[in-house]
């Protein structure tokens, strides 16, 4: 599933650090960028490219929550629900998105376009409530803004 | 007061090397490389009184001085840009708006400790910040500020951005090193300390983004200049990330020692919708909660400690009279349960039990003995774990019971919040 360019870039990481295992997270960031998620086959490929065992790669990757697994929607909506955001309406934001997308937190729309998650502080507490969609931050949210954002994403599909 | 770190924070394209130089940047570095020895730089930083801005407040010059000078091993400088403490968003701004200020500080710090390799470990979610940093680093290589023979001084340094992947514990210094080594980020037992056995088992200094962003200014203006700002033992300015129920949330760079009241009411414009203040968390959710009785406490390492809390990261979370303390504590407990790495039993099990008990109190199923049970669990976590995440999970809960016990009791007895929480998402 990885392109030849990505494979080449990942194998180049092998010698970039004093220890090979240091290349696991950078390689996974490349996977995220190119494929958008990972699965067992991808971990196996990454392990092969880095000259590590599958187990070593899986052991490390499973510690981290940032890389989505296969099945995640095209747009991964991650709403911060930590304290500062909660004080300014994060729960209402989550319910509004649930209503709008007709899914619950942790679910993906049947067309595979949206996944909704509730996450921890994203370092944007002064512009609460906020959410992240894939790599982009959306801040100071209200209903009107959400309507706009979701409409725009649906148009892009 | 003139700002130091945030002076050009809103200046258009300050992130570009030419703008940064036009605004006085890259003047500390040549001074450091041409006029000062590594020992003199460490002395200057010691004299400045600068203390770590990542939360613990350890004296920066002292930390640098711990790196063994006679060791033949390679040395590393790490910048901690994991910024995960809920309520904190200052490092993100420093990185996105003024990356060269950080990089200049890192080059000077590397020269001072004898490191030829440095990393900026940035949390995975800060994709934009990582891109900004990589571009800035590229500019540096092109202009002779990084790489071999920097500015003709003979000093070499390579700097890389290393992206994290969503684990709060990676902000703990030894977990961060495990993470760069490609391991599951469980913290290490100290000693040995990173200054002797750090990244790849080599001598390592790790500092926060804000700490390192101060360095070029200190080298340029002298240690005494910095020591004269703020408080005698908490020198310089601090960036306070103000959030919650205030009219003007945001980052404020102010001298150490301004009061909680000044921060919230003068700078933050007071409480939203003219409501009354109920509580303030002064240093991120890991720090003990304060009541309005502490409004005149000064915000610096010593004063907040004496007031029963901590300066932490300087993230000030404001809660008005409509906030439920039990609910806030419950939310904080969910965070720590989620972020406990699972290495130490008291933290792994304790954070789960704290969450479960707070959940049942919050849901109207609390029992009378729950308050004491919570205190007991907290006591059995504090100081019994490898890293301070355990303490961070327990201390705020303890303090919320101490300061707002009536709210807990009301919740348990009446099976609901003491306050009417209106919906806020419009
Ligand atoms: C659980 C935990 C999380 C931490 N997170 C961060 C962080 O995100 N950023 C940071 O600079 N320091 C963080 N720290 C503090 C670091 O361990 C370390 O003290 C700091 O990076 C040292 O830099 P300084 O001396 O410049 O403050 C954390 C500590 C703990 C225990
Ligand atoms: S609490 Fe939501 S971004 Fe920090």
């Amino acid at each position: 599933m990885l392109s030849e360019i990505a494979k080449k870039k990942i194998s180049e990481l092998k010698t970039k650090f004093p220890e090979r295992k240091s290349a696991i997270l950078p390689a996974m960031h490349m996977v995220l960028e190119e494929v958008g998620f990972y699965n067992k086959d991808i971990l196996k490929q990454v392990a092969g490219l880095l000259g590590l065992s599958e187990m070593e790669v899986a052991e490390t990757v499973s510690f981290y929550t940032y890389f989505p697994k296969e099945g995640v929607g095209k747009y991964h909506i991650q709403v911060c629900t930590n304290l500062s955001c909660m004080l300014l309406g994060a729960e209402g934001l989550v319910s509004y998105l649930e209503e709008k997308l007709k899914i619950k937190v942790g679910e993906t729309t049947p067309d595979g376009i949206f996944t909704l998650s509730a996450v921890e502080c994203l370092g944007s507490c002064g512009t609460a409530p906020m959410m992240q969609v894939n790599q982009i931050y959306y801040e100071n949210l209200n209903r009107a803004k959400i309507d706009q954002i979701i409409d725009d994403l649906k148009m892009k599909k | 007061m003139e700002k130091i770190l945030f002076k050009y924070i809103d200046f258009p394209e300050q992130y570009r090397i030419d703008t940064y130089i036009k605004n006085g940047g890259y003047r500390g570095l040549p001074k450091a490389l041409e006029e000062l020895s590594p020992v003199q730089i460490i002395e200057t930083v010691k004299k400045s009184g600068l203390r770590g801005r990542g939360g613990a407040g350890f004296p920066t010059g002292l930390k640098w001085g711990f790196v063994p000078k006679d060791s033949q091993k390679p040395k590393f400088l790490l910048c901690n840009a994991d910024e995960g403490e809920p309520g904190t968003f200052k490092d993100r701004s420093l990185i996105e708006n003024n990356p060269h200020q950080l990089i200049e500080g890192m080059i000077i710090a590397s020269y001072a400790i004898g490191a030829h390799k440095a990393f900026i470990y940035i949390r995975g979610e800060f994709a934009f910040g990582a891109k900004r940093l990589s571009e800035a680093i590229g500019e540096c290589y092109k202009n002779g500020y990084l790489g071999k023979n920097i500015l003709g001084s003979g000093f070499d340094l390579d700097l890389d951005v290393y992206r994290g992947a969503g684990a709060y514990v990676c902000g703990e210094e030894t977990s961060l090193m495990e993470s760069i080594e490609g391991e599951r980020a469980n913290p290490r037992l100290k000693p040995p300390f990173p200054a002797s056995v750090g990244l790849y088992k080599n001598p390592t200094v790790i500092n926060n983004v804000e700490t390192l962003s101060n360095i070029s200014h200190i080298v340029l203006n002298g240690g005494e200049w910095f020591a004269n700002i703020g408080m005698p033992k908490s020198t310089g300015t601090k960036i306070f990330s103000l959030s919650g129920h205030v009219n003007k949330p945001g980052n404020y760079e102010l001298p150490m020692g301004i009061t909680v009241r000044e921060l919230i009411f003068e700078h933050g414009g007071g409480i939203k919708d003219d409501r009354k203040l109920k509580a303030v968390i002064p240093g991120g959710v890991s720090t003990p909660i304060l009541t309005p009785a502490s409004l005149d406490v000064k915000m610096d390492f010593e004063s907040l400690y004496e007031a029963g809390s901590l300066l932490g990261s300087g993230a000030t979370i404001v809660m008005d009279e409509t906030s439920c303390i039990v609910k806030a504590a419950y939310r904080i407990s969910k965070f720590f349960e989620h972020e406990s790495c699972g290495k130490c039993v008291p933290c792994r099990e304790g954070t789960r039990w704290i969450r479960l008990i707070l959940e049942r109190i919050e849901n109207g199923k609390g029992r009378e003995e729950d308050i004491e049970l919570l205190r007991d669990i907290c006591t059995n976590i504090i100081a019994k774990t490898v890293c301070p995440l355990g303490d961070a999970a327990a201390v705020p809960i303890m303090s919320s019971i101490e300061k707002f016990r009536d709210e807990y009791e009301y919740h348990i007895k009446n099976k609901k919040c003491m306050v009417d929480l209106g919906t806020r998402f419009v």
Side-chain angles (χ1 to χ4, degrees):
Chain A
M1 264 206 253
L2 289 169
S3 70
E4 289 309 314
I5 303 171
K7 280 190 203 160
K8 188 163 166 280
K9 277 203 209 155
I10 290 175
S11 52
E12 278 166 9
L13 288 171
K14 205 156 63 170
T15 50
K16 190 173 173 194
F17 302 95
E19 282 174 24
R20 228 179 253 183
K21 283 181 91 177
S22 293
I24 298 174
L25 293 186
M28 290 303 292
H29 278 290
M30 286 182 188
V31 168
L32 176 60
E33 214 152 279
E34 183 166 297
V35 189
F37 59 83
Y38 75 90
N39 57 25
K40 252 188 121 174
D41 284 342
I42 291 178
L43 290 187
K44 197 170 168 179
Q45 274 195 31
V46 168
L49 292 165
L50 296 179
L52 296 165
S53 76
E54 241 180 289
M55 189 59 211
E56 282 174 305
V57 173
E59 185 189 31
T60 297
V61 172
S62 61
F63 185 86
Y64 299 90
T65 54
Y66 183 67
F67 307 115
K69 292 200 185 101
E70 184 164 21
V72 71
K74 183 165 180 217
Y75 297 110
H76 188 191
I77 303 179
Q78 300 182 278
V79 183
C80 170
T81 57
N82 211 303
L83 187 56
S84 302
C85 285
M86 180 186 105
L87 293 171
L88 293 174
E91 287 165 309
L93 167 56
V94 170
S95 329
Y96 188 60
L97 281 165
E98 285 182 333
E99 232 172 80
K100 219 175 149 63
L101 301 171
K102 302 191 181 65
I103 50 172
K104 293 269 165 227
V105 166
E107 293 176 355
T108 301
T109 52
D111 59 5
I113 302 294
F114 295 104
T115 297
L116 181 62
S117 303
V119 298
E120 299 299 349
C121 177
L122 290 167
S124 190
C125 335
T127 41
M130 64 81 60
M131 66 186 191
Q132 181 179 21
V133 183
N134 297 355
Q135 307 262 3
I136 314 273
Y137 276 27
Y138 294 91
E139 304 168 288
N140 290 314
L141 293 172
N142 53 37
R143 280 170 188 251
K145 275 195 191 171
I146 291 290
D147 292 345
Q148 186 69 52
I149 294 163
I150 299 294
D151 283 351
D152 287 352
L153 292 175
K154 274 186 181 158
M155 294 260 276
K156 274 204 289 186
K157 275 221 171 147
Chain B
M1 188 219 65
E2 199 178 335
K3 289 178 189 152
I4 303 170
L5 302 173
F6 266 10
K7 190 167 170 192
Y8 295 105
I9 208 76
D10 296 323
F11 197 91
E13 304 199 331
Q14 174 69 10
Y15 57 87
R16 290 175 44 161
I17 197 164
D18 43 357
T19 321
Y20 178 70
I21 291 172
K22 229 179 273 161
N23 285 333
Y26 287 118
R27 303 230 174 116
L29 178 64
K31 183 177 171 187
L33 294 176
E34 287 158 26
E35 296 171 30
L36 302 171
S37 69
V39 174
Q40 284 173 315
I41 294 171
I42 295 178
E43 283 311 312
T44 305
V45 175
K46 277 186 186 164
K47 202 182 279 169
S48 76
L50 175 66
R51 293 168 64 179
R53 304 304 199 228
F58 194 84
T60 307
L62 196 62
K63 187 187 273 187
W64 295 5
F66 289 153
V67 174
K69 292 192 186 40
D70 43 4
S71 165
Q72 292 309 302
K73 288 184 177 172
K75 300 171 186 85
F76 291 97
L77 175 76
L78 299 179
C79 170
N80 191 339
D82 198 48
E83 188 154 77
E85 176 68 22
T88 320
F89 47 96
K90 64 185 177 74
D91 296 341
R92 180 176 158 222
S93 176
L94 287 169
I95 286 167
E96 291 180 357
N97 299 310
N98 207 347
H100 285 287
Q101 178 175 250
L102 168 62
I103 295 169
E104 185 175 5
M106 288 189 72
I107 306 169
I108 298 172
S110 299
Y111 171 66
I113 63 163
H116 300 292
K117 175 84 210 177
F119 290 97
I120 303 173
Y121 185 98
I122 184 167
R123 63 178 296 182
E125 293 84 356
F126 288 175
F128 181 68
K131 190 166 153 274
R132 268 282 154 84
L133 283 171
S134 300
E135 284 165 4
I137 290 170
E139 288 179 312
C140 286
Y141 276 102
K142 229 186 262 162
N143 289 278
Y145 293 101
L146 281 172
K148 294 255 176 279
N149 192 19
I150 294 171
L151 303 178
S153 65
F155 175 66
D156 307 338
L157 179 67
D158 275 316
L159 175 58
D160 253 320
V161 175
Y162 197 96
R163 293 182 66 194
Y168 167 70
V169 76
C170 288
E172 196 281 329
E173 52 191 29
T174 61
S175 299
L176 190 150
M177 292 168 200
E178 290 287 319
S179 183
I180 297 184
E181 291 177 17
E183 302 293 337
R184 298 171 70 81
N186 296 318
R188 301 173 183 168
L189 205 55
K190 291 185 274 192
F193 290 94
S196 45
V197 185
L199 185 64
Y200 306 117
K201 301 201 169 56
N202 292 308
T204 304
V205 163
I206 176 162
N207 278 127
N208 171 260
V209 172
E210 187 183 349
T211 314
L212 290 164
S213 295
N214 271 303
I215 298 302
S216 64
H217 303 282
I218 292 173
V219 165
L220 198 58
N221 300 307
E224 239 155 73
W225 160 80
F226 192 83
N228 281 326
I229 303 166
M231 302 290 284
K233 286 187 181 165
S234 296
T235 57
T237 62
K238 176 82 195 78
I239 300 172
F240 298 100
S241 300
L242 186 62
S243 70
H245 296 138
V246 283
N247 281 316
K248 292 193 284 174
N251 282 316
Y252 294 92
E253 183 186 11
L254 297 162
M256 284 273 195
I258 61 132
T259 65
V260 182
R261 187 190 302 279
E262 284 167 325
L263 177 61
I264 297 175
F265 290 92
E266 275 173 37
H267 301 280
I271 311 297
K272 251 175 125 79
D273 306 326
D274 283 324
R275 292 206 171 107
K276 276 209 301 237
L277 175 69
K278 177 184 269 187
V280 183
I281 301 180
V285 302
S286 298
T287 61
I289 196 163
L290 297 172
T291 67
S294 299
L295 271 176
D296 292 309
V297 170
K298 290 186 162 65
M299 301 200 65
D300 59 72
F301 291 111
E302 281 69 36
S303 309
L304 276 166
Y305 180 76
E306 278 160 29
S309 189
L310 294 163
L311 180 64
S313 64
T316 307
I317 305 170
V318 177
M319 291 187 250
D320 74 17
E321 56 189 327
T322 66
S323 322
C324 171
I325 299 296
V326 176
K327 187 170 176 175
Y330 167 51
R331 184 61 191 84
I332 293 172
S333 73
K334 278 213 275 197
F335 170 72
F336 285 109
E337 179 192 18
H338 184 254
E339 300 299 339
S340 174
C341 78
K343 176 168 174 155
C344 311
V345 178
C347 177
R348 185 187 67 211
E349 300 300 311
T351 50
R352 179 166 166 271
W353 279 110
I354 292 175
R355 192 266 300 165
L356 281 168
I357 294 165
L358 285 168
E359 191 165 85
R360 75 176 178 227
I361 301 179
E362 173 64 17
N363 292 336
K365 299 201 176 82
R367 307 168 191 164
E368 220 173 290
E369 63 275 18
D370 277 350
I371 298 179
E372 281 320 304
L373 189 54
L374 276 173
R375 283 167 46 91
D376 184 48
I377 296 168
C378 289
T379 316
N380 278 299
I381 300 176
I382 294 170
K384 293 186 175 66
T385 55
V386 165
C387 94
L389 193 146
D391 289 14
V395 165
I397 306 303
M398 287 287 261
S399 79
S400 72
I401 295 174
E402 192 186 310
K403 303 272 169 58
F404 294 95
R405 197 179 176 109
D406 54 331
E407 287 209 19
Y408 279 88
E409 286 168 350
Y410 184 95
H411 236 288
I412 291 170
K413 208 160 147 209
N414 299 284
K415 308 192 186 310
K416 59 175 187 169
C417 292
M418 205 172 188
V419 287
D420 182 21
L421 305 150
T423 167
R424 277 183 188 270
F425 189 70
V426 285

